[in-house]
Amino acid sequence: FRLALIQLHVSAVKSDNLQRACGLVREASAKGAKLVALPECFNSPYGTQYFKEYAEKIPGESTQKLSEIAKECSIYLIGGRSIPEEDGGKLYNTCAVFGPDGALLAKHRKVHLFDINVPGKIQFKESETLSPGNSFSMFDTPYCKVGLGICYDMRFAEMAQIYGQKGCQLLVYPGAFNMTTGPAHWELLQRGRAVDNQLYVATVSPARDENASYVAWGHSTVVNPWGEVIAKAGAEETVVYTDIDLKKLAEIRQQIPILSQKRCDLYGVEMKK
C-alpha cells in the first residue's frame, strides 16, 4: 500500500495551516496514498509559549476538519500532533487518527516529554506546559497494524519493541527534531527502531522555517525492515511517497528470525498498561 508523508510548512495562522494541510491530503489521495500522515505540530508553531494559545479539545475544530478530509478521500489519516489537546485543565501533545469513514481510530498522547539541555546548543522543556500520556496507541488497517509515537517517543526502544510484540508492522512518528538533534540522531534512531524490530518506520516532520523560534530539521523519512532508507525529504515543504511492501517484511523476518529467537527465559520487555 502507498504511504504519504506531508512535510508541511507551518505558519502562525491556524486556518491557513489547516487549509494547506487538507489540500496536500487531497493531493496525496489522488496519487494513490491509502495512509497519509501529517507532521508533529502541523497546526501551530512549536514552542511551550504557543501550546496554551493554540490548544483545542478533541473533538474540536481541527480534528473535525481532519475527520472530514479522511472521509472525503476515503483514507487513513494520521493527524500528526494536530494540536495541543486540552482536557481536564491539562495540555497534551496529541496525535489523532481517522479512518476512511471519518471515525476516530486512535488518540496518542506523547508519552515521553521533550525535556533536554545540550549546553550551548539547545534547551527545551515540554513539561513546563504539557502533561505526558500514559498509554500505547495502535490501530488496524486492512493492510497492517500501525503503532504510534510522537517525536521524543522514538528514542525509547522499549516502546517500539512492545509495538512489534503486539503485531505492528509499521511505526509512525510525527516529529520535529531540531537543528542539533536532527543531523545527529533523526535517521539513526529510525534505522535502529526498524532493524531491531524488523518493521517499517516512518517519520514526518514540519518543513524547516529558519525564522521560527524553534527550527525543525525536516527530512521526513521512511526506513524498511532491513534498515534501509527508502524515501526521504529535504528541508522544504513536500509530500513523500513510498510503497510499503509487507511481503518484503515477511521475507526478512523469515531469513533472520530474531523475533522467535529472543531468550524470553533471560530477559523481556512488557507493557504495563
Side-chain angles (χ1 to χ4, degrees), residues 6 8-26 38-39 41-45 54 56-57 60-70 72 77-83 98 237:
I6 296 178
L8 184 74
H9 176 77
V10 178
S11 76
V13 182
K14 183 186 288 189
S15 58
D16 288 351
N17 295 329
L18 262 177
Q19 183 177 2
R20 194 162 59 257
C22 288
L24 290 171
V25 169
R26 289 189 183 95
L38 290 163
C41 216
F42 88 84
N43 206 14
S44 72
Y54 284 81
E56 297 179 17
K57 292 186 179 297
E61 175 193 358
S62 295
T63 49
Q64 179 61 32
K65 195 67 177 176
L66 295 182
S67 170
E68 291 170 1
I69 196 69
E72 174 190 326
L77 178 60
I78 297 174
R81 192 209 80 182
S82 53
I83 54 168
F98 298 91
E237 180 172 284

Side-chain angles (χ1 to χ4, degrees), residues 153-164:
D153 286 339
M154 185 166 59
R155 288 190 179 271
F156 297 86
E158 298 86 351
M159 193 171 183
Q161 289 176 43
I162 294 292
Y163 282 140

Side-chain angles (χ1 to χ4, degrees), residues 32-257:
K34 301 299 184 184
L35 177 60
V36 179
L38 290 163
E40 182 182 24
C41 216
F42 88 84
N43 206 14
S44 72
Y46 185 79
T48 54
Q49 70 270 34
Y50 300 111
F51 294 153
K52 187 174 183 179
E53 176 187 354
Y54 284 81
E56 297 179 17
K57 292 186 179 297
I58 296 178
E61 175 193 358
S62 295
T63 49
Q64 179 61 32
K65 195 67 177 176
L66 295 182
S67 170
E68 291 170 1
I69 196 69
K71 184 175 182 178
E72 174 190 326
C73 297
S74 191
I75 57 167
Y76 291 86
L77 178 60
I78 297 174
R81 192 209 80 182
S82 53
I83 54 168
E85 179 199 6
E86 191 279 320
D87 185 31
K90 294 182 178 181
L91 298 179
Y92 299 92
N93 185 331
T94 302
C95 173
V97 181
F98 298 91
D101 59 355
L104 179 68
L105 299 180
K107 186 175 76 170
H108 180 70
R109 290 173 170 171
K110 190 175 187 176
V111 172
H112 305 94
L113 296 184
F114 184 55
D115 288 3
I116 69 159
N117 183 10
V118 182
K121 294 187 177 180
I122 184 171
Q123 182 175 357
F124 201 91
K125 196 169 185 180
E126 277 190 323
S127 64
E128 288 178 347
T129 53
L130 299 177
S131 297
N134 293 309
S135 62
F136 293 82
S137 304
M138 295 165 269
F139 65 96
D140 289 305
T141 75
Y143 320 110
C144 69
K145 179 179 280 191
V146 182
L148 292 174
I150 297 176
C151 202
Y152 200 49
D153 286 339
M154 185 166 59
R155 288 190 179 271
F156 297 86
E158 298 86 351
M159 193 171 183
Q161 289 176 43
I162 294 292
Y163 282 140
Q165 291 171 15
K166 296 296 181 180
C168 294
Q169 295 174 301
L170 169 65
L171 304 185
V172 179
Y173 295 93
F177 274 38
N178 53 71
M179 299 300 289
T180 296
T181 60
H185 300 144
W186 178 249
E187 184 178 307
L188 175 66
L189 287 166
Q190 295 169 64
R191 296 183 69 188
R193 299 294 85 85
V195 77
D196 281 351
N197 301 288
Q198 296 180 320
L199 40 68
Y200 284 89
V201 173
T203 56
V204 54
S205 168
R208 188 180 306 170
D209 180 357
E210 299 284 358
N211 297 316
S213 58
Y214 180 98
V215 182
W217 173 238
H219 296 288
S220 300
T221 303
V222 184
V223 179
N224 71 15
W226 195 252
E228 298 168 323
V229 174
I230 56 173
K232 186 175 183 178
E236 70 287 343
E237 180 172 284
T238 189
V239 181
V240 177
Y241 298 92
T242 191
D243 292 320
I244 302 298
D245 185 353
L246 297 175
K247 182 180 178 182
K248 181 176 181 67
L249 181 148
E251 290 173 350
I252 289 170
R253 289 185 174 184
Q254 183 177 30
Q255 293 163 7
I256 307 177

